Amino acid sequence: MGLRAARAALWVALPAELALVVCLVGGVRITGAVLLAAEALVVGMLALEAAVMGPLYTARRRAGDGRRAAALSAVRAVVPVAVRRLTVHELRALHSLGVWAVRCRHRIPEGALPFSYTEPQTGTMWAFFLASVLETVVLALVIPWPLVHLILLVVGVYGTVLIVALHAACVTRPHVVGADGSLRLRYGALFDLSVPASLITAARVERRYPDGGLVRVSEDGVLDLAVGSQTTVTVELAEPVEFVRPLGRRGSARVLRFHADDPRAAVAALGPKPGTIALRPVTPERTAPSSTPGPPA
């Protein structure tokens, strides 16, 4: 019962706090009693989380777990997987800023070939960045309440930094074709799928414009990992591979469609190695109709 209450508190208190900030920004008069009640709600939520996680942590410690393992076990039991994954995604994106600053890339093995995929979204990302900067400056000038002004300034600056971090994560985490012909598909810190070379039976350049968001899976086992609403490479597999979506849901696919800025080079890298049977033909580029929409990520 306590565990369910702690999880419910996360989904109730956080949106309520956000709604309160929106009301303040919109000029709605909020009485001191309501503000006090909102803050009490947040404090109560934190107290409830601590009260539930404390016994779980103690139980895991008595079972022989180390401090870190016990703490992680308690957090996993209380915090929903979607919230945990979003937090991890943000931390990895912020880490990518440092990697980008020193002009490095994330985990490119020796002999492997990286393939970027950011070209279709670069202009959009910088447009979001400029809009975020403008919004932060405007709100800083028009909001008269000091507390709300400070909160929105912090949120605005963080949002602006996060936009750059998300783009940095995509730049520093490209697709990778290993020296053995294996394939690693990525989208920043949000998506990561590794495919052994032995499962790849065909690869071709094929430009498609699927409907929907970043990750779409059709009923016939086709995964679309689109960037800027397009994919340029199609890879067929001998058997389905499993993957984890950005918010934690699992899926499987036997055909992978993804975007690469240089699709011909990516397909050539996935081609047969010297002394092997040509199982992965390179076909001329063609444009295919959009795929049948699947369930959203």
Side-chain angles (χ1 to χ4, degrees), residues 6-264:
R7 287 180 173 176
L10 282 173
W11 295 114
V12 173
L14 295 181
E17 187 78 3
L18 178 61
L20 181 62
V21 172
V22 171
C23 289
L24 289 172
V25 173
V28 179
R29 286 194 173 187
I30 306 295
T31 65
V34 174
L35 290 173
L36 182 60
E39 296 309 314
L41 178 63
V42 173
V43 173
M45 178 199 69
L46 295 176
L48 178 60
E49 304 299 320
V52 173
M53 284 192 279
L56 294 174
Y57 173 82
T58 302
R60 295 311 308 170
R61 288 286 288 161
R62 289 176 178 173
D65 289 352
R67 292 182 179 178
R68 186 173 184 274
L72 289 175
S73 179
V75 170
R76 291 192 185 103
V78 176
V79 182
V81 63
V83 176
R84 297 200 310 268
R85 288 187 66 85
L86 285 174
T87 302
V88 171
H89 293 332
E90 289 190 16
L91 292 175
R92 287 176 176 171
L94 294 173
H95 170 262
S96 298
L97 277 176
V99 178
W100 193 26
V102 296
R103 299 181 178 274
C104 292
R105 289 183 173 180
H106 184 266
R107 293 186 181 179
I108 308 297
E110 185 177 354
L113 297 175
F115 293 95
S116 63
Y117 50 81
T118 57
E119 187 176 290
Q121 71 176 23
T122 300
T124 303
M125 295 295 285
W126 288 118
F128 280 141
F129 170 78
L130 293 176
S132 181
V133 171
L134 180 62
E135 180 184 27
T136 301
V137 172
V138 170
L139 289 177
L141 294 176
V142 302
I143 299 299
W145 308 288
L147 178 59
V148 179
H149 180 279
L150 178 60
I151 293 174
L152 291 181
L153 180 61
V154 172
V155 172
V157 171
Y158 178 74
T160 302
V161 172
L162 190 58
I163 290 174
V164 181
L166 291 173
H167 182 64
C170 291
V171 173
T172 59
R173 298 168 184 261
H175 302 316
V176 178
V177 176
D180 60 349
S182 60
L183 173 64
R184 185 178 185 183
L185 294 182
R186 299 192 281 192
Y187 182 84
L190 295 174
F191 187 85
D192 196 332
L193 168 62
S194 296
V195 182
S198 59
L199 293 185
I200 301 176
T201 59
R204 60 181 178 272
V205 178
E206 184 178 33
R207 191 174 299 275
R208 302 178 67 92
Y209 300 91
D211 299 324
L214 172 66
V215 179
R216 304 280 293 186
V217 185
S218 64
E219 295 180 355
D220 54 350
V222 178
L223 166 67
D224 287 306
L225 181 62
V227 178
S229 299
Q230 64 178 291
T231 64
T232 55
V233 177
T234 298
V235 174
E236 298 178 4
L237 307 178
E239 61 184 56
V241 293
E242 294 187 351
F243 57 88
V244 180
R245 301 189 187 201
L247 294 183
R249 294 176 55 193
R250 293 186 173 273
S252 64
R254 189 166 183 170
V255 177
L256 310 177
R257 295 170 180 157
F258 60 95
H259 175 78
D261 293 340
D262 189 349
R264 293 185 179 277

